[in-house]
Amino acid sequence: MDQLVAIRAFARVVEAGNFTRAADSLEMPNATVSKLIQELEAHLGVRLLQRTTRRVTVTPEGRDYYEKSARILRDLEDIDTSFSAVRSKPRGLLRIDIGGSTARDVLIPLLPEFMMRYPDIRIDLGVSDRAVDLISDNVDCVIRGGPLESSSLIARHIGSATLITCATPEYLKAFGTPAYPDELKNGHRLVSYLSPQNGRAFPFRFERNGEKTDIKVDHRIGVNESNAHLAAGLAGLGIIQTFSYSTAEALRNGTLVEILNEWRPAPYPFHVVYPQSRHVTHRLRVFIDWLLERFPQRVTGA
């Protein structure tokens, strides 16, 4: 048994939650991963995983072994990276997940520069407003806006976006232009952004001189994907509240008009997030550094 290979296989099964995902990420046959862990258990004389036909559960001994061995794996990879980063260019596959409008309007327009700077890095870009599990979905990092929920993740702030409220000129001609947030409750048609996680509508948020107001009314239409949400606003279905970077062109050409601009809410933070338990590869490190350099200005819509 190659104990180091076996430990890596075991760690990936714990992180992925099943043998199939672990085997895929390690580019090994499922049977090989299973055999490595059986040999590791025999070597240690303890059961690390409980296997059933439907799921894999980590035993208390397995959890303890994972936490201790994961630290060793990270230290070893840090040592390897410190040497390889000096003599080689970053290379390999980088798996990134990002929301729809942020991908279209912020990251993708910047990517040609990154790809030119690091030609040996390949990127798999997962685009969805639905949050992914970085561990089980084998994602290197995600770019997300809003408050952070999990303390098991490392987050780097990469800029803040401006939220604006807008509608088409035709809509405003038909329904009037509100002067105060509360007027949205009186006969206006709202297009709400729905949480992809729970389906609930996000309230329209407003702030002026420290006074905060949330408008929660029945929406005319709700959309749970950011590009489609903008499209609904452009179609004249009602008033939307979204990011200025997504509406910049429409505002310039007059297909959308900003309203209640004196009541813009506080800037909306964006972060690049990655797991504590996963080693930061050379390619991920240079990507994060590049994001910190290039992302902030683009996400503000400046």
Side-chain angles (χ1 to χ4, degrees):
M1 178 191 65
D2 185 326
Q3 187 173 359
L4 183 57
V5 173
I7 292 172
R8 284 176 169 151
F10 166 68
R12 186 49 56 90
V13 171
V14 173
E15 294 168 353
N18 63 57
F19 280 85
T20 301
R21 283 180 174 173
D24 288 344
S25 67
L26 292 167
E27 298 182 349
M28 290 181 178
N30 207 324
T32 301
V33 174
S34 180
K35 181 180 178 183
L36 283 168
I37 293 175
Q38 288 174 5
E39 291 175 344
L40 182 61
E41 289 176 326
H43 169 74
L44 296 172
V46 296
R47 174 78 69 174
L48 300 174
L49 301 172
Q50 292 287 355
R51 306 161 180 82
T52 69
T53 55
R54 292 188 176 183
R55 60 181 300 183
V56 174
T57 304
V58 186
T59 66
E61 293 82 7
R63 178 60 59 185
D64 186 46
Y65 190 75
Y66 169 76
E67 291 174 356
K68 292 175 179 176
S69 61
R71 290 196 296 268
I72 296 171
L73 289 176
R74 287 197 299 270
D75 290 344
L76 180 60
E77 289 171 339
D78 283 340
I79 293 169
D80 290 347
T81 300
S82 67
F83 284 93
S84 62
V86 172
R87 65 175 185 271
S88 66
K89 296 179 181 179
R91 63 180 65 245
L93 179 63
L94 195 58
R95 297 179 177 88
I96 304 162
D97 194 83
I98 186 170
S101 66
T102 315
R104 187 194 66 184
D105 299 313
V106 182
L107 182 63
I108 289 176
L110 291 172
L111 275 182
E113 175 192 311
F114 179 81
M115 304 301 284
M116 184 175 294
R117 190 184 299 186
Y118 301 106
D120 296 324
I121 294 178
R122 297 178 295 116
I123 289 178
D124 279 357
L125 193 62
V127 180
S128 171
D129 288 358
R130 187 178 297 276
V132 300
D133 186 315
L134 282 86
I135 301 298
S136 63
D137 290 320
N138 195 30
V139 174
D140 293 296
C141 68
V142 300
I143 297 170
R144 284 290 185 268
L148 301 174
E149 298 177 358
S150 176
S151 60
S152 65
L153 302 174
I154 299 174
R156 301 284 300 276
H157 181 256
I158 53 173
S160 296
T162 301
L163 277 168
I164 68 168
T165 309
C166 52
T168 62
E170 294 77 14
Y171 172 88
L172 297 175
K173 183 178 180 180
F175 293 91
T177 301
Y180 298 94
D182 279 347
E183 292 183 26
L184 297 182
K185 301 176 182 178
N186 301 322
H188 276 287
R189 299 178 176 182
L190 305 186
V191 180
S192 292
Y193 180 73
L194 306 180
S195 167
Q197 279 67 53
N198 56 35
R200 296 174 184 168
F202 284 94
F204 281 57
R205 293 190 169 97
F206 300 94
E207 183 175 346
R208 187 176 71 170
N209 299 327
E211 178 187 352
K212 297 181 180 180
T213 301
D214 284 1
I215 302 298
K216 300 178 181 179
V217 298
D218 290 339
H219 50 263
R220 176 70 181 276
I221 184 171
V223 185
N224 69 352
E225 196 278 327
S226 49
N227 286 317
H229 180 240
L230 174 62
L234 288 166
L237 289 170
I239 296 172
I240 62 171
Q241 189 171 75
T242 189
F243 299 118
S244 62
Y245 61 72
S246 291
T247 58
E249 182 178 353
L251 293 173
R252 282 194 299 267
N253 63 32
T255 52
L256 285 177
V257 176
E258 183 179 4
I259 60 174
L260 300 170
N261 59 315
E262 294 181 358
W263 291 84
R264 284 182 177 180
Y268 197 79
F270 274 77
H271 298 85
V272 56
V273 183
Y274 53 97
Q276 291 188 47
S277 60
R278 184 163 298 174
H279 170 65
V280 179
T281 61
H282 189 21
R283 58 184 175 274
L284 178 56
R285 193 179 304 279
V286 299
F287 178 72
I288 293 171
D289 290 343
W290 174 80
L291 280 178
L292 291 168
E293 173 190 345
R294 300 293 289 121
F295 199 88
Q297 183 178 358
R298 185 88 189 189
V299 80
T300 62

